Amino acid sequence: MSVQDYSTNPDDNLTISGINIAEGMPPGLVNNAIRQLMSDIKVNSTELENGKLSTSGGTVTGNLSIKNMLDLINAAPATEQELGLFMLDKNGTIMGAHDFVHNVNNIKAAQMYARNSSGLISSLGVYVEEDGTRYTLSSHNIILTSDVEIGRLYADGVRLITFSGTKGSPGLTMRYSPDNGELYLDGRAVHGKADTAVYADNAGTLGGKAESALSVAFASEAQNSYGLKGMDMIIARTTYTLPNYGTWKYMYLVATDEKWIDMVIGENAGGTTLTPNYPGYPDAFMDGMAFRSA
């Protein structure tokens, strides 16, 4: 008889594996009932020991699942839900985690993070929204391969997106500012010239150099019209449509005038319209760039 079949009400426990233990039971059955009870307890104890991991470690040969009884995948929870695996030091301080968050805006996020002793966290997460929006977010620099890095910093009062080698060997760093549209290589401003563009103040003649923003714009639109443009800037845009040809990779920051919200990296067909899509930040805009990939 399984211990699970015992009743929590003592008066309901009248037999044990068919042995009568009711009030006034035959004295000769007492020792049989006690032996059966000991056997049932031992079987139950063995099952418990075989079904759990030791506190000193062990091996799981199947899947592990965490079931949140307060949550549903298609409905926003009343309060933010977070469950996962947390790594603690011997004093119980969290050093890192692999966890899942379902917030009140119905955004699902799976993330891993590491934390230092001062509370600084570096995280990498993947997010999905019910409207199909998907993105990857890093709270720090992104290492694309073992030796290439994309970062973000402030310098001279402007935001900068950096492209470089990694910390040990940065090489010649390229920086782009979504605030002023300037592009820098190793600290030096880079200015492109379109040698077949016209002067802004002499638009009717050919052969001049692009000495102004207006003539650069003429050259850019000409490239765009014939499907020749290979790069486009996304500057302070609340919506942005990729040039209507080819396939484009893009990277942009989502921000407001007061704070940085997110970095988005993706690839879509030409003609796709991008938006910040952060309901909690209606004044959010995008700053970044797009490169034609096919």
Side-chain angles (χ1 to χ4, degrees), residues 10 28 35 48 74 77 86 89 91 119 121 128 153-155 162-163 185 195 204 215 239-240 246-247 258 264 269 275:
R35 285 195 294 266
L48 290 175
N74 61 348
F86 297 84
D89 71 3
N91 296 320
I121 289 176
V128 64
L153 56 84
Y154 281 97
T162 64
F163 304 84
L185 178 60
D195 287 339
S215 57
T239 62
Y240 169 76
T247 302
E258 291 75 29
V264 179
T275 63

Side-chain angles (χ1 to χ4, degrees), residues 93-97 112-124 138-141 167 260:
T93 303
I94 295 176
M95 298 187 293
M112 61 180 180
Y113 67 85
R115 179 178 181 270
N116 69 10
S117 59
S118 63
L120 180 66
I121 289 176
S122 180
S123 65
L124 178 64
S138 170
S139 65
H140 203 59
N141 291 6
K167 183 177 180 180
W260 174 65

Side-chain angles (χ1 to χ4, degrees), residues 210-232:
E211 302 292 354
S212 74
L214 184 57
S215 57
V216 172
F218 288 152
S220 177
E221 291 306 314
Q223 288 179 321
N224 204 26
S225 297
Y226 291 96
L228 300 176
K229 184 183 285 187
M231 184 180 81
D232 205 8

Side-chain angles (χ1 to χ4, degrees), residues 103 105 107-109 125-129 131 133-138 237-239 252-256 259-265 274-287:
N103 72 14
N105 294 319
I107 297 175
K108 271 75 76 173
V126 289
Y127 296 67
V128 64
E129 300 185 34
D131 64 1
T133 301
R134 296 166 291 175
Y135 48 97
T136 301
L137 172 65
S138 170
R237 303 290 292 273
T238 54
T239 62
Y252 59 85
L253 296 175
V254 179
T256 67
K259 66 182 296 185
W260 174 65
I261 301 170
D262 195 3
M263 174 183 282
V264 179
I265 300 174
L274 309 174
T275 63
N277 200 21
Y278 284 82
Y281 299 93
D283 56 343
F285 57 86
M286 302 175 291
D287 280 321

